[in-house]
Amino acid sequence: MESQVDVLIVGGGLAGSLTALKFAIAKPELKLLLIESSGKLGGNKTWSFHESDLTEDQLSWIKPMVARSWKSTRVQFPRLDRTIDVGYHSFRSEDLHSYVTERLGESVMLETEVDKVSEHKVYLKNGEIIEAHLVLDARGIDYVPTPKLNGFQKFIGFDLLLEEPHGLESPVIMDATCPQLEGFRFFYLLPWDANRLLIEETFYSDTPDLNRERISRSILSYAERKGWKVKKVEREETGVLPIPMTAYYIPNSHTGEAIPIGTRGGYFHATTGYSLADAARFADLLLASPTYATGAVRESLMKSRRKWLSKQRFYRMLNRFLFYASEPSLRYQVLQHFYEQPQEVVERFYGGRTTWSDRLRILSGRPPVPLNKALKSLTERSVQARFGGPQ
Ligand SMILES: Cc1cc2nc3c(=O)[nH]c(=O)nc-3n(C[C@H](O)[C@H](O)[C@H](O)COP(=O)(O)OP(=O)(O)OC[C@H]3O[C@@H](n4cnc5c(N)ncnc54)[C@H](O)[C@@H]3O)c2cc1C
């Protein structure tokens, strides 16, 4: 087949951009194209990750985008205040956009909407067809998450400019000392510089609805309670991430189709909803294929995909414990118990590398889960039978 392009990635969000970046670095001889419908890569988000989520090599090619790094983070619960001594890094969509567009140059095609994708062809809305040896579909989540088969991690964040320094040295990834509303509720604090701070109010909730007005007031009154005078709200971001109970959201990758990557392929941590580590991991796996044609790459991904699927099963079970078996106002206790574990257990959890002994530790102790409810939530099949499949 006479292809115009070697590797064509549709969707310039986090996964599409990171995968394109990795190809550009590792295989500069390949003709690469990244197509994004909007005028900017990455949307409007702040991405954070623990240093231990990534390998050294992954850190080396992702770190140039990082806007701010810290040596540790903190979590606060009613009976736990703990510092986690692992590096933490954050960057925003604009950091991703400027770095990736600079590195990729003409390989980035913005403001181009794709209508359809197949194994070797991409059909643009303007009628143009582009052929490629390898087509990756990174257009983001393509289903409406069904409540009951999903919980939701929903949040609104404000980047605040303060009148005076806030005094925080490191991020607080969970301040759950607040009243527990709508399930598990906490504030997330990212100190960009002495006077700038991202405050996000987050809920692990049964519903996807966000009351923007109420949450805005609540973020500002949280700042006030801390003694921080707000000069200006410089930026706002919103997220509603599905927290799945069963595997239905993970599509199979079929012959004749492009390979779904990123959240399109279901590749995110089922409990945290985060996808950066998986995006980096799968970029490496794609690169490790002996040849770069869609069919061959699909085949070569199979083994690692099976391993990844098996790890995710545990996180979905934890979600069922959290959402089905524990009282919404006591969900925080499951997380509090988790953060009492040794640091390596916490690191492996975030990185999606939880071991069998970690699982026992996380589920042991006295979580606020009555045994009969826990047993009912145990299998995906029982949940599917109770709530039915996605509509
Ligand atoms: C506010 C927010 C903060 C988050 N923070 C973190 C975090 O700190 N750490 C973390 O790991 N995860 C985080 N996540 C979760 C997850 O990592 C992100 O949602 C991530 O952006 C998902 O990446 P993706 O590439 O799979 O999908 P998306 O980022 O949704 O990208 C899909 C892209 O495809 C484009 N597209 C869609 N349709 C077409 C089309 N027809 N033609 C062309 N282009 C198209 C879209 O415009 C978009 O740019 C966050 C999510 C949100 C919403």
Side-chain angles (χ1 to χ4, degrees), residues 7 9 13-28 32-34 41 58-65 91 95-105 107-108 283-284 287:
V7 180
I9 303 173
L14 180 69
S17 300
L18 290 186
T19 307
L21 183 61
K22 178 72 199 189
F23 266 102
I25 293 168
K27 297 282 166 194
L32 175 72
L33 192 59
L34 172 64
L41 298 176
Q58 288 161 352
L59 265 177
S60 73
W61 58 270
I62 289 180
K63 239 180 165 176
M65 277 178 287
F91 60 99
D95 304 309
L96 176 99
H97 174 81
S98 54
Y99 185 68
V100 175
T101 48
E102 194 188 316
R103 282 299 302 247
L104 267 61
S107 297
V108 178
D284 279 346
L287 257 297

Side-chain angles (χ1 to χ4, degrees), residues 10-17 35-38 40-49 88 112-115 125 138-141 155 188 200 237-241 261-264 267-268 273-277:
V10 182
L14 180 69
S17 300
I35 302 182
E36 164 58 35
S37 57
S38 74
K40 191 171 147 254
L41 298 176
N44 174 35
K45 294 173 184 122
T46 303
W47 290 289
S48 301
F49 59 96
Y88 197 68
T112 306
E113 187 150 3
V114 166
D115 186 21
K125 267 267 160 69
R139 284 177 293 173
I141 285 179
F155 51 90
Y188 172 86
E200 244 168 42
E237 68 181 47
T238 301
V240 181
L241 312 181
I261 61 168
T263 54
R264 184 91 175 180
Y267 297 122
F268 57 89
Y274 275 19
S275 71
L276 187 139

